Amino acid sequence: DYLTYISGQGCSALKDDKHTSINCYTNYSGKTFQFNVTSGRFTYSYAGTWHEEVLDGYYGDSSSFVFGTCKQYYR
């Protein structure tokens, strides 16, 4: 059941005749995660904090974008 994978706030699960997906986000840090349960494909993005000074002379993290495919290995 696709509801097995949901944890915490900021996530939603969608299911229709062809696709099942899990979508998570955080408003405060600019992070998103999307997972298509049907295909096993996922994306993760992070807006970064390079525009905010964190320490003297350091302006935080760069943005990142990750994608890939998961395969079931046990259940």
Side-chain angles (χ1 to χ4, degrees):
D1 190 304
Y2 70 100
L3 291 174
T4 303
Y5 298 94
I6 299 176
S7 65
Q9 297 178 347
C11 291
S12 64
L14 304 171
K15 183 175 184 177
D16 62 23
D17 293 338
K18 295 183 179 184
H19 303 286
T20 303
S21 64
I22 299 169
N23 306 294
C24 300
Y25 62 92
T26 57
N27 287 334
Y28 59 89
S29 65
K31 296 177 181 178
T32 63
F33 175 75
Q34 296 178 321
F35 178 64
N36 184 313
V37 177
T38 307
S39 68
R41 290 181 169 186
F42 69 90
T43 61
Y44 167 79
S45 63
Y46 172 53
T49 59
W50 66 271
H51 57 286
E52 299 175 10
E53 185 174 9
V54 179
L55 301 172
D56 292 337
Y58 177 70
Y59 282 88
D61 302 321
S62 299
S63 60
S64 63
F65 180 78
V66 180
F67 60 94
T69 303
C70 295
K71 293 183 180 180
Q72 185 174 351
Y73 63 93
Y74 73 90
R75 179 86 175 144

